[in-house]
Amino acid sequence: MCGIVGYVGNREASPLLIEGLSKLEYRGYDSAGVAILNDGKIKIEKCKGRLKNLENKLEEFPIEGGVGIGHTRWATHGEPSDVNSHPHFNKDKSIAVVHNGIIENYIYLKEWLGSLGYEFLTETDTEVVAHLVDHFYNGDIVKAVADAVEKIEGSYALGVVSKNEPEKLVAIRKDSPLIVGLGEDENFIASDIPAILSQTRKVYLLEDKELVVLTKEGVTITTLEGMPVTKEVFNVTWDAEAAEKGGYEHFMIKEIHEQPKAIKDTMTSRIMADSDEIKLDDINLTKEDLKNIDKIFIVACGTAYHAGMVGKYVIEKLARIPVEVDIASEFRYRNPILNERTLMIVVSQSGETADTMAALREAKKQGSRVIAVTNVVGSSAAREADDILYTWAGPEIAVASTKAYTTQLIAMYIIGLYLARLNDKMSVEEYRVIRDEMLALPAKVETLLENKETLQRFADANKNNDDIFYLGRGLDNAVALEGALKLKEISYIHAEAYAAGELKHGPIALIDDGIPVIALATQEELFDKMVSNIREVVTRGAKVLSIACEGSTAIETVSDAVEYIPRAIDLLTPVLSVIPLQLLSYYVSIARGCDVDKPRNLAKSVTVE
Ligand code: F6R
């Protein structure tokens, strides 16, 4: 996720911006830059790579000045590069802009501004903001920003400076974080409190569409219509480390809570309530191409593999194309049958996992087309695949994957729908039903995140068990596997997932008095069979926590505890049922005193075989 810092005051802006940006490094970034008002001009220095690169540049070519904006970029539109780094200029370099978020209608705005003569130098969505502010500028930068944001759809936190009004910094947010820091004869903006914590502990927490003007003398906040807004000063009492996690105790729980937004962002501008079109900018598969494809392989590791298992169900059900899911480390060595009639989908949060990359290269070598589903713009997977679908989860810091997984699920649904429409296997009416249900998912995840008591109680009661079993059928089986992986990696408890129907073919011998079993029963068609399977383990003494859809109260007769998820069509329940499993793992891990964010023996990106 991008990071923004801004400063207006009597001190030199440059070192304060760099220091602030360094405190936002935890958010992840691939490039950095600053714009500083200097001697009647705006000077920008920006570059791809670590903040240190920018710092070195600024040491070599210092920019003096007491007003500036800084940015760390996590690429979404356009690869990480010097030119795509923020800040961005308008055409005569009188206005500079930094942005965090996604401008959903940037293609429309780009075309419109292009027709007015604006030229675009970057691949970013942000550059439209610089030109838009320029378009509306008529001697008043505050009004120009207000007019510009009226045209923008999507999420944004913006910092804007103009050389014509060099004492001001204008800022505004919608659905992306931004705060104001209040100092003595100086003021700040930042994406997050840690960026300014060494300078001030007095902040304003901005609400959507509050327009802020900062000068060194003070801060004014108005509505877009110019009505004054009065705000209470928030005194930060957290220490720096707690502030980095936004008040959450660990990155994992923070990232679990970021899922409604990550899911929404991943659907943004691809599936829309008012359109029957699925827009995938980086997938160029045509009807003709698809006619020549008779098999799909989904290849991935770990959590991404579990998302691929859901992908198999979804694509086969919707697009009626046979799909095989493979663990990447196994794929290459089993002499897979690949050719130009095969489509491979690799799923990788990092886009750098060695085994997944090896599978991708093998497929390319054999003439297959490859789609990469990845969270990192410009990653190896994105560079080497033929087509890309980015998950817009933002950087994941905790080793245990949570928001990357749910956004990978969304990517699987989007691809499934896309292929089904391309393949003429789905009517518009059928599409609309699934699309509307998908668009409702963020709100449903939000509600789930409010119910934690049952899970906390179950975690506490079972934290000392040596084994925990997970059961599910169909899509619930895929989610059970992910739930078990999550628990074992962060709590070190032996957790095993089984297809519930397979239980009596061996694993049931492990069920004994007091063994905890997590049973997923969200698939309406399989519900009764699942209840029977639960009964089988209850009879042998298991303590069962069931995950079921609201209203499926019959489950209570065979469960010690039930966590209900909001109702959704069977196909989409994995996005919901995994949330309690993530939370449960988290609570067990902290109850056992484990290092939640950095579990033993694990690395975030596995770049060796
Ligand atoms: C588990 C986890 C891992 C990764 C796996 C693949 O929580 O994070 O299982 O899913 O190492 O990583 P990527 O998706 O980066 O290829």
Side-chain angles (χ1 to χ4, degrees):
M1 271 168 297
C2 303
I4 290 178
V5 184
Y7 175 76
V8 211
N10 292 326
R11 292 191 278 166
E12 285 300 322
S14 176
L16 291 166
L17 296 179
I18 294 290
E19 194 208 314
L21 292 176
S22 74
K23 297 289 174 353
L24 297 178
E25 281 190 293
Y26 73 91
R27 295 164 71 89
Y29 68 102
D30 46 57
S31 46
V34 293
I36 294 170
L37 283 140
N38 169 272
D39 217 6
K41 283 194 185 129
I42 300 175
K43 287 197 179 156
I44 286 183
E45 198 63 76
K46 56 183 186 175
C47 55
K48 181 181 161 182
R50 308 308 296 166
L51 192 58
K52 192 75 199 145
N53 301 353
L54 176 67
E55 222 178 322
N56 292 344
K57 275 193 167 189
L58 286 168
E59 262 167 35
E60 207 179 330
F61 308 104
I63 315 176
E64 289 178 358
V67 178
I69 46 181
H71 190 266
T72 43
R73 175 173 186 247
W74 167 266
T76 56
H77 296 69
E79 58 168 13
S81 67
D82 289 357
V83 68
N84 285 336
S85 312
H86 298 209
H88 293 293
F89 267 137
N90 65 333
K91 61 183 173 195
D92 67 1
K93 301 190 173 175
S94 59
I95 294 166
V97 174
V98 285
H99 164 229
N100 171 20
I102 295 172
I103 312 286
E104 287 170 23
N105 59 341
Y106 86 101
I107 294 176
Y108 162 77
L109 290 172
K110 203 167 173 173
E111 279 167 12
W112 174 60
L113 289 162
S115 74
L116 300 177
Y118 286 94
E119 280 174 25
F120 289 81
L121 306 176
T122 79
E123 300 161 286
T124 65
D125 52 341
T126 305
E127 199 183 355
V128 300
V129 183
H131 294 318
L132 211 51
V133 175
D134 176 282
H135 173 71
F136 288 111
Y137 188 71
N138 209 351
D140 183 348
I141 190 66
V142 184
K143 173 133 192 355
V145 172
D147 289 344
V149 297
E150 294 281 24
K151 292 270 177 218
I152 296 174
E153 284 166 23
S155 57
Y156 51 80
L158 295 170
V160 183
V161 288
S162 159
K163 73 169 191 183
N164 299 323
E165 294 163 75
E167 69 294 346
K168 286 181 194 156
L169 196 173
V170 186
I172 187 160
R173 61 156 280 188
K174 181 184 159 271
D175 297 335
S176 280
L178 197 67
I179 55 128
V180 171
L182 304 167
E184 288 288 318
D185 298 323
E186 60 183 9
N187 293 298
F188 305 80
I189 55 165
S191 299
D192 207 351
I193 291 171
I196 50 147
L197 207 55
S198 59
Q199 307 302 327
T200 177
R201 288 186 166 263
K202 287 190 191 147
V203 303
Y204 285 141
L205 304 172
L206 296 177
E207 299 297 331
D208 278 357
K209 293 201 174 177
E210 288 178 342
L211 185 61
V212 190
V213 184
L214 298 97
T215 61
K216 63 182 174 193
E217 288 84 21
V219 172
T220 56
I221 307 178
T222 62
T223 63
L224 279 182
E225 295 73 34
M227 297 298 290
V229 173
T230 29
K231 284 194 102 60
E232 276 194 24
V233 174
F234 176 70
N235 278 301
V236 184
T237 50
W238 318 321
D239 61 21
E241 206 197 313
E244 250 182 37
K245 292 173 189 143
Y248 290 102
E249 212 176 325
H250 301 101
F251 282 113
M252 181 178 175
I253 191 74
K254 178 170 180 263
E255 287 161 7
I256 288 175
H257 279 87
E258 282 169 355
Q259 288 180 110
K261 181 168 187 308
I263 291 167
K264 182 169 175 280
D265 284 349
T266 301
M267 293 190 287
T268 286
S269 77
R270 284 143 176 189
I271 58 167
M272 290 149 284
D274 55 358
S275 160
D276 295 327
E277 202 190 334
I278 304 168
K279 284 182 79 179
L280 302 179
D281 293 347
D282 298 313
I283 295 188
N284 301 308
L285 203 69
T286 63
K287 246 182 184 10
E288 269 322 292
D289 295 332
L290 195 58
K291 269 194 191 129
N292 292 323
I293 283 166
D294 53 21
K295 173 134 191 204
I296 297 177
F297 280 103
I298 303 181
V299 184
C301 300
T303 287
Y305 168 74
H306 295 150
M309 287 181 73
V310 174
K312 172 183 162 70
Y313 270 81
V314 172
I315 296 171
E316 287 191 340
K317 188 175 169 76
L318 302 182
R320 306 304 299 155
I321 305 171
V323 182
E324 262 188 60
V325 203
D326 264 88
I327 292 173
S329 55
E330 291 291 319
F331 183 75
R332 201 162 34 138
Y333 300 110
R334 72 171 176 84
N335 200 3
I337 303 168
L338 290 159
N339 54 41
E340 56 293 337
R341 295 184 69 79
T342 319
L343 174 69
M344 178 183 276
I345 302 173
V346 293
V347 186
S348 174
Q349 187 282 129
S350 61
E352 302 295 347
T353 301
D355 288 316
T356 309
M357 285 310 298
L360 180 157
R361 287 173 189 141
E362 181 65 27
K364 299 260 334 171
K365 205 163 84 194
Q366 311 270 349
S368 309
R369 183 168 183 146
V370 179
I371 301 180
V373 172
T374 178
N375 197 35
V376 181
V377 175
S379 57
S380 301
R383 286 198 311 273
E384 295 184 33
D386 301 286
D387 305 277
I388 317 163
L389 180 57
Y390 287 115
T391 49
W392 284 336
E396 205 175 49
I397 313 259
V399 166
S401 191
T402 53
K403 60 178 182 166
Y405 172 73
T406 40
T407 55
Q408 284 162 354
L409 293 182
I410 297 296
M412 294 296 112
Y413 295 127
I414 293 177
I415 291 176
L417 290 169
Y418 182 76
L419 297 179
R421 299 286 286 135
L422 211 59
N423 218 6
D424 294 326
K425 294 286 184 211
M426 182 182 274
S427 67
V428 178
E429 290 71 27
E430 286 167 319
Y431 169 67
R432 286 180 190 154
V433 171
I434 301 178
R435 174 201 65 194
D436 293 348
E437 285 263 352
M438 281 178 71
L439 294 172
L441 286 172
K444 291 182 183 177
V445 173
E446 200 84 66
T447 357
L448 267 172
L449 292 170
E450 282 158 19
N451 300 328
K452 297 177 181 135
E453 294 71 24
T454 311
L455 301 167
Q456 279 165 329
R457 243 179 283 128
F458 196 85
D460 224 47
N462 293 290
K463 61 175 190 272
N464 294 323
N465 275 75
D466 295 329
D467 309 284
I468 299 193
F469 293 96
Y470 288 70
L471 303 178
R473 284 173 169 264
L475 283 169
D476 282 342
N477 178 35
V479 180
L481 283 159
E482 173 57 10
L485 174 64
K486 217 76 317 168
L487 186 75
K488 61 187 123 181
E489 66 183 326
I490 59 170
S491 74
Y492 319 140
I493 293 179
H494 169 240
E496 208 60 63
Y498 289 106
E502 184 65 11
L503 205 64
K504 49 177 106 40
H505 300 286
I508 201 158
L510 296 168
I511 305 294
D512 204 355
D513 238 8
I515 289 270
V517 171
I518 318 292
L520 285 97
T522 73
Q523 302 293 293
E524 214 165 321
E525 273 184 12
L526 301 166
F527 184 77
D528 292 340
K529 291 195 186 307
M530 197 56 212
V531 171
S532 304
N533 292 135
I534 300 173
R535 198 162 279 128
E536 285 161 9
V537 295
V538 169
T539 318
R540 284 155 184 88
K543 284 185 288 177
V544 177
L545 166 67
S546 294
I547 314 287
C549 294
E550 271 164 3
S552 300
T553 47
I555 199 90
E556 289 174 19
T557 56
V558 290
S559 314
D560 292 271
V562 182
E563 183 66 30
Y564 287 108
I565 60 165
R567 273 210 171 265
I569 50 174
D570 278 6
L571 201 67
L572 300 182
T573 58
V575 179
L576 304 173
S577 56
V578 77
I579 308 288
L581 303 188
Q582 296 169 343
L583 288 167
L584 181 69
S585 308
Y586 175 77
Y587 291 125
V588 173
S589 176
I590 47 173
R592 285 167 67 89
C594 300
D595 189 348
V596 179
D597 286 336
K598 291 198 195 85
R600 69 186 182 202
N601 307 340
L602 293 174
K604 187 69 191 159
S605 184
V606 186
T607 51
V608 289
E609 234 190 286

